[in-house]
Every structure is written in structure tokens, then in C-alpha cells.
Coordinates of all heavy atoms in Angstrom, one line a residue:
M159 N 87.9 91.2 97.0 CA 88.4 91.3 95.7 C 88.5 92.7 95.1 O 89.5 93.0 94.5 CB 87.6 90.4 94.7 CG 88.2 90.2 93.3 SD 89.8 89.4 93.3 CE 89.4 87.7 93.5
A160 N 87.4 93.4 95.4 CA 87.4 94.8 94.8 C 88.5 95.7 95.5 O 89.1 96.5 94.8 CB 86.0 95.4 95.1
M161 N 88.7 95.4 96.7 CA 89.8 96.2 97.5 C 91.2 95.8 96.9 O 92.0 96.7 96.6 CB 89.8 95.9 99.0 CG 90.9 96.6 99.7 SD 91.0 96.2 101.5 CE 91.5 94.5 101.5
L162 N 91.4 94.6 96.6 CA 92.7 94.1 96.0 C 92.8 94.8 94.6 O 94.0 95.3 94.3 CB 92.7 92.7 95.9 CG 94.0 92.0 95.2 CD1 95.2 92.4 96.0 CD2 93.8 90.6 95.0
L163 N 91.8 94.8 93.8 CA 91.8 95.3 92.5 C 92.1 96.9 92.5 O 92.9 97.5 91.8 CB 90.6 95.1 91.6 CG 90.5 93.6 91.3 CD1 89.1 93.4 90.7 CD2 91.5 93.1 90.4
G164 N 91.5 97.5 93.6 CA 91.7 99.0 93.8 C 93.2 99.3 94.1 O 93.7 100.3 93.6
V165 N 93.7 98.4 95.0 CA 95.1 98.7 95.3 C 96.1 98.4 94.2 O 97.0 99.2 93.9 CB 95.6 97.7 96.5 CG1 97.0 97.8 96.8 CG2 94.8 98.0 97.8
V166 N 95.7 97.5 93.3 CA 96.5 97.3 92.1 C 96.5 98.6 91.1 O 97.5 98.9 90.6 CB 96.1 96.0 91.3 CG1 96.6 95.8 90.0 CG2 96.4 94.7 92.2
I167 N 95.2 99.1 91.0 CA 95.1 100.3 90.2 C 96.0 101.5 90.8 O 96.6 102.2 89.9 CB 93.7 100.7 90.1 CG1 93.0 99.7 89.1 CG2 93.5 102.1 89.5 CD1 91.5 100.0 88.8
V168 N 96.0 101.6 92.0 CA 96.8 102.7 92.7 C 98.3 102.5 92.3 O 98.9 103.4 92.0 CB 96.5 102.7 94.2 CG1 97.6 103.6 94.9 CG2 95.1 103.2 94.5
Y169 N 98.8 101.2 92.5 CA 100.1 101.0 92.2 C 100.4 101.2 90.7 O 101.5 101.7 90.2 CB 100.5 99.6 92.6 CG 100.9 99.5 94.1 CD1 100.2 98.7 94.9 CD2 101.9 100.2 94.6 CE1 100.4 98.7 96.3 CE2 102.2 100.3 95.9 CZ 101.4 99.4 96.8 OH 101.7 99.4 98.1
L170 N 99.5 100.8 89.8 CA 99.7 101.0 88.3 C 99.7 102.5 88.0 O 100.5 102.9 87.2 CB 98.5 100.3 87.6 CG 98.6 98.8 87.5 CD1 97.4 98.3 86.8 CD2 99.9 98.3 86.8
F171 N 98.9 103.2 88.7 CA 99.0 104.8 88.4 C 100.2 105.4 88.9 O 100.8 106.3 88.3 CB 97.8 105.4 89.2 CG 96.6 105.5 88.3 CD1 96.3 104.6 87.3 CD2 95.5 106.4 88.6 CE1 95.2 104.7 86.5 CE2 94.4 106.5 87.9 CZ 94.2 105.6 86.7
R172 N 100.8 104.9 90.1 CA 102.1 105.4 90.5 C 103.2 105.0 89.5 O 104.1 105.8 89.4 CB 102.4 104.9 91.9 CG 101.5 105.5 92.9 CD 102.0 105.2 94.3 NE 101.2 105.8 95.3 CZ 101.4 105.8 96.5 NH1 102.4 105.1 97.1 NH2 100.6 106.4 97.4
I173 N 103.1 103.9 88.9 CA 104.1 103.5 88.0 C 104.0 104.1 86.6 O 104.9 104.6 86.1 CB 104.0 101.9 87.8 CG1 104.5 101.2 89.1 CG2 105.0 101.5 86.7 CD1 104.2 99.7 89.1
M174 N 102.7 104.2 86.1 CA 102.4 104.6 84.7 C 102.1 106.0 84.7 O 101.9 106.6 83.6 CB 101.4 103.8 84.1 CG 101.9 102.3 83.9 SD 100.8 101.1 83.0 CE 99.2 101.8 83.1
G175 N 101.7 106.7 85.7 CA 101.2 108.1 85.7 C 99.7 108.2 85.7 O 99.0 107.2 85.5
N176 N 99.2 109.4 85.8 CA 97.8 109.6 85.9 C 97.1 110.0 84.7 O 95.9 110.4 84.7 CB 97.6 110.7 87.0 CG 97.9 110.3 88.5 OD1 98.5 109.3 88.6 ND2 97.6 111.1 89.4
D177 N 97.8 110.1 83.6 CA 97.1 110.5 82.3 C 96.2 109.4 81.8 O 96.5 108.2 81.9 CB 98.2 110.9 81.3 CG 99.2 109.9 81.1 OD1 99.4 109.0 82.0 OD2 99.8 109.9 80.0
Y178 N 95.1 109.9 81.3 CA 94.1 109.0 80.6 C 93.5 107.9 81.7 O 93.6 106.7 81.5 CB 94.5 108.3 79.5 CG 95.1 109.1 78.3 CD1 96.5 109.2 78.1 CD2 94.3 110.1 77.6 CE1 97.0 110.1 77.2 CE2 94.8 110.9 76.8 CZ 96.2 111.0 76.5 OH 96.6 111.7 75.5
P179 N 93.0 108.4 82.8 CA 92.6 107.4 83.9 C 91.5 106.5 83.5 O 91.5 105.3 83.8 CB 92.2 108.3 85.0 CG 91.9 109.6 84.4 CD 92.7 109.8 83.2
V180 N 90.5 107.1 82.8 CA 89.3 106.3 82.4 C 89.7 105.2 81.5 O 89.2 104.0 81.5 CB 88.2 107.1 82.0 CG1 87.0 106.3 81.4 CG2 87.8 108.2 83.0
F181 N 90.5 105.6 80.4 CA 90.9 104.5 79.5 C 91.8 103.5 80.1 O 91.6 102.3 79.7 CB 91.8 105.3 78.4 CG 92.3 104.3 77.3 CD1 91.3 103.8 76.4 CD2 93.5 104.0 77.2 CE1 91.7 102.9 75.4 CE2 94.0 103.2 76.2 CZ 93.1 102.7 75.3
K182 N 92.7 103.8 81.0 CA 93.4 102.8 81.7 C 92.5 101.9 82.5 O 92.7 100.7 82.7 CB 94.5 103.4 82.6 CG 95.6 104.0 81.9 CD 96.6 104.7 82.8 CE 97.7 105.4 82.0 NZ 98.7 106.0 82.8
G183 N 91.4 102.5 83.1 CA 90.4 101.8 83.9 C 89.7 100.8 83.1 O 89.4 99.7 83.5
L184 N 89.3 101.2 81.8 CA 88.6 100.3 81.0 C 89.6 99.1 80.6 O 89.1 98.0 80.6 CB 88.3 101.0 79.7 CG 87.1 102.1 79.8 CD1 87.0 102.9 78.5 CD2 85.9 101.5 80.2
L185 N 90.8 99.4 80.3 CA 91.7 98.3 80.0 C 91.9 97.4 81.2 O 91.9 96.1 81.1 CB 93.0 98.9 79.5 CG 93.1 99.4 78.1 CD1 94.4 100.1 77.8 CD2 92.7 98.4 77.1
F186 N 92.1 98.0 82.4 CA 92.2 97.2 83.6 C 91.0 96.3 83.8 O 91.1 95.1 84.2 CB 92.5 98.1 84.8 CG 92.7 97.3 86.0 CD1 93.9 96.7 86.2 CD2 91.8 97.3 87.0 CE1 94.2 95.9 87.4 CE2 92.0 96.5 88.1 CZ 93.2 95.9 88.3
G187 N 89.8 96.8 83.7 CA 88.6 96.0 83.8 C 88.6 94.9 82.9 O 88.1 93.8 83.3
G188 N 88.9 95.1 81.7 CA 88.9 94.0 80.6 C 89.9 93.0 80.9 O 89.6 91.8 80.8
V189 N 91.1 93.5 81.3 CA 92.1 92.5 81.6 C 91.8 91.6 82.9 O 92.0 90.4 82.9 CB 93.5 93.2 81.9 CG1 94.6 92.3 82.5 CG2 94.0 93.7 80.6
S190 N 91.2 92.4 83.9 CA 90.8 91.6 85.1 C 89.6 90.6 84.8 O 89.6 89.5 85.4 CB 90.3 92.6 86.2 OG 89.2 93.1 85.9
Y191 N 88.8 90.9 83.9 CA 87.7 90.0 83.4 C 88.3 88.8 82.7 O 88.0 87.7 83.0 CB 86.8 90.7 82.5 CG 85.9 89.7 81.8 CD1 84.7 89.3 82.5 CD2 86.0 89.4 80.6 CE1 83.8 88.4 81.9 CE2 85.1 88.4 79.9 CZ 84.1 88.0 80.6 OH 83.2 87.1 80.0
I192 N 89.3 89.0 81.8 CA 89.9 87.9 81.1 C 90.6 87.0 82.1 O 90.6 85.9 82.0 CB 90.9 88.5 80.0 CG1 90.1 89.1 78.9 CG2 91.7 87.3 79.5 CD1 90.9 89.9 78.0
F193 N 91.4 87.6 83.0 CA 92.1 86.8 84.0 C 91.1 86.1 84.9 O 91.3 84.8 85.2 CB 93.0 87.7 84.8 CG 93.8 86.8 86.0 CD1 94.8 86.0 85.5 CD2 93.5 86.9 87.2 CE1 95.4 85.2 86.5 CE2 94.0 86.1 88.2 CZ 95.0 85.3 87.7
L194 N 90.1 86.8 85.5 CA 89.3 86.2 86.5 C 88.3 85.0 85.9 O 88.2 84.1 86.5 CB 88.4 87.3 87.3 CG 89.2 88.2 88.1 CD1 88.3 89.2 88.7 CD2 89.9 87.4 89.3
Y195 N 87.8 85.3 84.8 CA 86.9 84.3 84.1 C 87.7 83.4 83.2 O 87.5 82.2 83.2 CB 85.7 85.0 83.5 CG 84.8 85.4 84.6 CD1 84.7 86.7 85.0 CD2 83.8 84.5 85.1 CE1 83.9 87.2 86.0 CE2 83.0 84.9 86.1 CZ 83.0 86.2 86.5 OH 82.1 86.6 87.5
G196 N 88.5 84.0 82.3 CA 89.1 83.2 81.3 C 90.1 82.2 81.8 O 90.1 81.0 81.6
V197 N 91.1 82.7 82.6 CA 92.2 81.8 83.1 C 91.7 80.9 84.2 O 92.0 79.7 84.2 CB 93.3 82.7 83.6 CG1 94.4 81.8 84.2 CG2 94.0 83.5 82.4
A198 N 90.8 81.5 85.1 CA 90.2 80.7 86.1 C 89.5 79.5 85.7 O 89.5 78.4 86.2 CB 89.6 81.5 87.1
M199 N 88.7 79.8 84.6 CA 87.8 78.6 84.1 C 88.6 77.7 83.3 O 88.4 76.5 83.3 CB 86.7 79.3 83.2 CG 85.6 79.9 83.9 SD 84.2 80.7 83.1 CE 84.2 79.9 81.6
A200 N 89.6 78.2 82.6 CA 90.5 77.2 81.8 C 91.3 76.3 82.7 O 91.5 75.1 82.4 CB 91.4 78.0 80.8
L201 N 91.8 76.8 83.9 CA 92.4 76.0 84.8 C 91.7 75.3 85.9 O 92.2 74.8 86.8 CB 93.6 76.9 85.5 CG 94.6 77.5 84.5 CD1 95.5 78.4 85.3 CD2 95.4 76.4 83.8
N202 N 90.2 75.4 85.7 CA 89.3 74.8 86.7 C 89.5 75.3 88.1 O 89.4 74.5 89.1 CB 89.4 73.3 86.6 CG 88.9 72.7 85.3 OD1 88.0 73.3 84.8 ND2 89.6 71.6 84.9
F203 N 89.8 76.6 88.3 CA 89.9 77.2 89.6 C 88.5 77.5 90.1 O 88.3 77.8 91.2 CB 90.8 78.4 89.6 CG 92.2 78.2 89.5 CD1 93.0 79.1 88.9 CD2 92.8 77.1 89.9 CE1 94.4 78.9 88.7 CE2 94.1 76.8 89.8 CZ 94.9 77.7 89.2
T204 N 87.6 77.7 89.2 CA 86.2 78.0 89.6 C 85.2 77.1 89.0 O 85.5 76.4 88.0 CB 85.8 79.6 89.0 OG1 84.6 79.8 89.4 CG2 86.0 79.6 87.5
R205 N 84.0 77.1 89.5 CA 83.1 76.1 89.0 C 82.1 76.8 88.1 O 81.1 76.2 87.6 CB 82.2 75.5 90.2 CG 83.1 74.6 91.1 CD 82.2 74.1 92.2 NE 83.1 73.4 93.2 CZ 82.7 73.0 94.2 NH1 81.5 73.2 94.7 NH2 83.6 72.4 95.1
V206 N 82.3 78.0 87.7 CA 81.4 78.8 86.8 C 81.6 78.2 85.4 O 82.7 78.0 85.0 CB 81.8 80.3 86.8 CG1 81.0 81.0 85.8 CG2 81.6 80.9 88.2
S207 N 80.5 77.9 84.8 CA 80.5 77.4 83.4 C 79.6 78.3 82.6 O 78.4 78.2 82.9 CB 80.3 76.0 83.3 OG 79.0 75.7 83.8
L208 N 80.0 79.0 81.6 CA 79.2 79.8 80.7 C 79.0 79.1 79.4 O 79.9 78.9 78.7 CB 79.9 81.1 80.6 CG 80.2 81.9 81.9 CD1 81.0 83.2 81.6 CD2 78.9 82.3 82.5
L209 N 77.8 78.8 79.2 CA 77.5 77.9 77.9 C 77.3 78.8 76.7 O 77.5 78.2 75.5 CB 76.3 76.9 78.2 CG 76.6 76.1 79.4 CD1 75.2 75.3 79.6 CD2 77.7 75.2 79.2
T210 N 76.8 80.0 76.8 CA 76.5 80.8 75.6 C 77.3 82.0 75.7 O 77.7 82.5 76.8 CB 75.0 81.1 75.6 OG1 74.6 81.8 76.8 CG2 74.2 79.9 75.6
P211 N 77.5 82.7 74.6 CA 78.3 83.9 74.5 C 77.6 85.2 75.2 O 78.4 86.0 75.7 CB 78.4 84.3 73.1 CG 78.0 83.1 72.4 CD 77.1 82.3 73.2
L212 N 76.3 85.2 75.4 CA 75.6 86.4 76.0 C 76.1 86.5 77.4 O 76.4 87.7 77.8 CB 74.1 86.2 75.9 CG 73.3 87.4 76.4 CD1 73.7 88.7 75.7 CD2 71.9 87.2 76.3
P213 N 76.2 85.6 78.3 CA 76.6 85.8 79.6 C 78.1 86.4 79.7 O 78.4 87.0 80.6 CB 76.5 84.4 80.3 CG 75.5 83.7 79.6 CD 75.6 84.2 78.2
N214 N 78.8 85.9 78.8 CA 80.3 86.4 78.7 C 80.2 87.9 78.5 O 81.0 88.6 79.2 CB 81.0 85.8 77.6 CG 81.3 84.3 77.8 OD1 81.4 83.9 79.0 ND2 81.5 83.5 76.8
L215 N 79.4 88.4 77.6 CA 79.3 89.8 77.3 C 78.7 90.5 78.4 O 79.1 91.6 78.9 CB 78.6 90.1 76.0 CG 78.4 91.5 75.6 CD1 79.8 92.1 75.3 CD2 77.5 91.6 74.4
V216 N 77.7 90.0 79.1 CA 76.9 90.6 80.2 C 77.9 90.7 81.4 O 77.8 91.7 82.1 CB 75.7 89.8 80.5 CG1 75.1 90.3 81.9 CG2 74.6 89.9 79.5
L217 N 78.8 89.7 81.6 CA 79.7 89.8 82.7 C 80.9 90.8 82.4 O 81.6 91.2 83.4 CB 80.2 88.4 83.1 CG 79.2 87.4 83.7 CD1 79.8 86.1 83.8 CD2 78.8 88.0 85.1
L218 N 81.2 91.0 81.2 CA 82.3 91.8 80.8 C 81.9 93.3 81.2 O 82.7 94.1 81.7 CB 82.6 91.7 79.4 CG 83.6 92.8 78.8 CD1 85.0 92.6 79.5 CD2 83.7 92.6 77.3
V219 N 80.7 93.7 81.0 CA 80.2 95.1 81.2 C 80.5 95.6 82.7 O 81.1 96.7 82.9 CB 78.8 95.4 80.9 CG1 78.2 96.7 81.2 CG2 78.6 95.0 79.3
P220 N 80.1 94.8 83.7 CA 80.3 95.3 85.1 C 81.9 95.5 85.4 O 82.3 96.4 86.2 CB 79.7 94.4 86.0 CG 78.9 93.5 85.2 CD 79.3 93.7 83.8
H221 N 82.7 94.6 84.8 CA 84.1 94.6 85.1 C 84.7 95.9 84.4 O 85.6 96.6 85.1 CB 84.8 93.4 84.4 CG 84.8 92.2 85.3 ND1 83.7 91.4 85.4 CD2 85.6 91.7 86.3 CE1 83.9 90.4 86.2 NE2 85.0 90.6 86.8
V222 N 84.3 96.2 83.3 CA 84.7 97.4 82.6 C 84.3 98.7 83.3 O 85.1 99.6 83.5 CB 84.3 97.4 81.1 CG1 84.6 98.7 80.4 CG2 85.0 96.3 80.4
V223 N 83.1 98.7 83.7 CA 82.5 99.9 84.5 C 83.2 100.0 85.9 O 83.6 101.1 86.2 CB 81.0 99.7 84.7 CG1 80.4 100.8 85.6 CG2 80.2 99.8 83.3
F224 N 83.5 98.9 86.5 CA 84.2 99.0 87.7 C 85.6 99.5 87.6 O 86.0 100.3 88.3 CB 84.3 97.5 88.4 CG 85.2 97.5 89.6 CD1 84.8 97.9 90.8 CD2 86.5 97.0 89.4 CE1 85.7 97.9 91.8 CE2 87.3 96.9 90.5 CZ 86.9 97.4 91.7
G225 N 86.3 99.0 86.4 CA 87.7 99.5 86.2 C 87.7 101.0 86.0 O 88.5 101.8 86.5
A226 N 86.8 101.5 85.1 CA 86.7 102.9 84.7 C 86.4 103.7 86.0 O 87.1 104.8 86.2 CB 85.8 103.2 83.6
T227 N 85.4 103.3 86.7 CA 85.0 104.1 87.9 C 86.1 104.1 89.0 O 86.5 105.2 89.5 CB 83.8 103.4 88.5 OG1 82.7 103.4 87.5 CG2 83.2 104.4 89.7
T228 N 86.6 103.0 89.2 CA 87.8 103.0 90.2 C 89.0 103.8 89.7 O 89.6 104.5 90.6 CB 88.2 101.5 90.4 OG1 87.1 100.7 90.7 CG2 89.3 101.4 91.5
A229 N 89.4 103.7 88.4 CA 90.5 104.5 88.0 C 90.1 106.0 88.0 O 91.0 106.8 88.5 CB 90.8 104.2 86.6
W230 N 88.9 106.4 87.8 CA 88.5 107.9 87.9 C 88.6 108.3 89.4 O 89.1 109.4 89.7 CB 87.0 108.1 87.3 CG 86.7 109.5 87.4 CD1 87.1 110.5 86.5 CD2 85.9 110.0 88.4 NE1 86.5 111.7 87.0 CE2 85.8 111.5 88.1 CE3 85.3 109.6 89.6 CZ2 85.1 112.3 88.9 CZ3 84.5 110.4 90.3 CH2 84.4 111.7 90.0
V231 N 88.1 107.5 90.3 CA 88.1 107.9 91.7 C 89.5 107.9 92.2 O 90.0 108.9 92.9 CB 87.3 106.9 92.5 CG1 87.5 107.1 94.0 CG2 85.8 107.0 92.3
V232 N 90.4 106.9 91.9 CA 91.8 107.0 92.2 C 92.5 108.3 91.7 O 93.2 108.9 92.4 CB 92.5 105.7 91.8 CG1 94.0 105.8 91.9 CG2 92.0 104.5 92.6
N233 N 92.2 108.5 90.5 CA 92.8 109.8 89.8 C 92.4 111.0 90.5 O 93.2 111.9 90.9 CB 92.5 109.8 88.4 CG 93.2 111.0 87.7 OD1 94.4 111.3 87.9 ND2 92.4 111.7 86.9
Y234 N 91.1 111.1 90.9 CA 90.5 112.2 91.6 C 91.2 112.4 93.0 O 91.6 113.5 93.4 CB 89.0 112.1 91.8 CG 88.3 113.2 92.6 CD1 88.3 114.5 92.0 CD2 88.0 112.9 93.8 CE1 87.6 115.4 92.8 CE2 87.4 113.9 94.6 CZ 87.3 115.1 94.1 OH 86.6 116.1 94.9
L235 N 91.3 111.3 93.7 CA 91.9 111.4 95.0 C 93.3 111.6 95.1 O 93.9 112.4 95.9 CB 91.6 110.1 95.8 CG 90.1 109.8 96.2 CD1 89.9 108.5 96.8 CD2 89.6 110.9 97.1
M236 N 94.1 111.1 94.1 CA 95.5 111.5 94.0 C 95.7 112.9 93.6 O 96.6 113.6 94.1 CB 96.2 110.5 93.0 CG 96.3 109.1 93.4 SD 97.0 107.9 92.2 CE 98.7 108.2 92.3
A237 N 94.9 113.4 92.7 CA 95.0 114.9 92.4 C 94.7 115.7 93.6 O 95.3 116.7 93.8 CB 94.1 115.2 91.2
K238 N 93.7 115.3 94.3 CA 93.3 116.2 95.5 C 94.4 116.1 96.6 O 94.7 117.1 97.1 CB 92.0 115.6 96.0 CG 91.4 116.3 97.2 CD 90.0 115.8 97.5 CE 89.5 116.5 98.7 NZ 88.3 115.9 99.2
N239 N 94.9 114.9 96.8 CA 96.0 114.8 97.7 C 97.3 115.6 97.3 O 97.9 116.2 98.1 CB 96.4 113.3 97.9 CG 97.4 113.1 99.0 OD1 97.4 113.8 99.9 ND2 98.1 112.0 98.9
T240 N 97.5 115.7 96.0 CA 98.7 116.5 95.4 C 98.4 117.9 95.7 O 99.4 118.6 96.1 CB 98.9 116.1 94.0 OG1 99.1 114.7 93.8 CG2 100.1 116.9 93.5
L241 N 97.2 118.3 95.5 CA 96.9 119.8 95.6 C 97.1 120.2 97.1 O 97.5 121.2 97.5 CB 95.6 120.1 95.2 CG 95.4 120.1 93.6 CD1 93.9 120.4 93.3 CD2 96.2 121.2 93.0
E242 N 96.6 119.3 98.0 CA 96.7 119.6 99.5 C 98.1 119.6 100.0 O 98.4 120.4 100.9 CB 95.9 118.6 100.3 CG 94.3 118.7 100.1 CD 93.6 117.6 100.7 OE1 94.2 116.7 101.4 OE2 92.3 117.7 100.8
E243 N 99.0 118.8 99.4 CA 100.3 118.8 99.8 C 101.1 119.9 99.4 O 102.0 120.4 100.0 CB 101.0 117.5 99.3 CG 100.6 116.2 100.1 CD 101.2 115.0 99.6 OE1 102.0 115.1 98.5 OE2 101.0 113.9 100.0
G244 N 100.8 120.4 98.1 CA 101.6 121.5 97.5 C 101.1 122.7 97.6 O 100.8 123.7 98.0

């Protein structure tokens, strides 16, 4: 799953550009959280059931951190690759 999300971030950077990578990663992490838990739970794709609001917030944090870190790494590698080519 992490590899698939990383590939999606690379394609999003190619489409939208490399500016503000951490902010884009934060948004991507939040959107992936909403999709993976919100939509999947609403459509009964998963057996996860969160009864209180605290686990929702606790599960949001790793998704946002993952998105920001992945976007920063992708931006760094894309910039490094651009410098080596040119």
C-alpha cells in the first residue's frame, strides 16, 4: 500500500509541480486517510470499526506524517535527479 501511495505522489508531483512538497504531502496524507478509513468503512470494505473519536485522531497522525515524509523524499530525489541530468 505504501508503495502504491508513493507512486501516486510521484505522478501528482509530475502533474502539479514540485513547489510546497510538505504541504502537498500533508494534504495527500489526509486525503488518503479519509479515503482508506472513511470510504472503506462506510461501504463495509473493511472490518475496522472505530467507536470513539480518539482512535480516529490517532490514526490520522501517521497518515499525515507518512504523506509529508514521502512528499519530501520524492521532492529531494526529483531535484537530485534533475541536477544530475543537467
Side-chain angles (χ1 to χ4, degrees):
M159 184 62 77
M161 181 181 70
L162 177 66
L163 293 174
V165 170
V166 170
I167 285 182
V168 169
Y169 280 119
L170 286 175
F171 272 21
R172 287 189 177 184
I173 293 169
M174 297 185 333
N176 292 11
D177 51 339
Y178 308 110
V180 176
F181 182 69
K182 288 180 183 177
L184 291 171
L185 287 175
F186 181 76
V189 168
S190 69
Y191 171 79
I192 290 170
F193 177 75
L194 292 174
Y195 284 98
V197 174
M199 284 177 29
L201 297 176
N202 292 325
F203 288 151
T204 182
R205 294 183 189 170
V206 175
S207 62
L208 304 172
L209 301 176
T210 61
L212 183 61
N214 290 334
L215 182 63
V216 170
L217 289 173
L218 175 64
V219 173
H221 280 85
V222 171
V223 170
F224 171 78
T227 305
T228 305
W230 181 80
V231 169
V232 166
N233 184 46
Y234 174 76
L235 292 175
M236 289 176 82
K238 186 176 178 183
N239 188 25
T240 305
L241 289 175
E242 288 177 359
E243 287 177 359

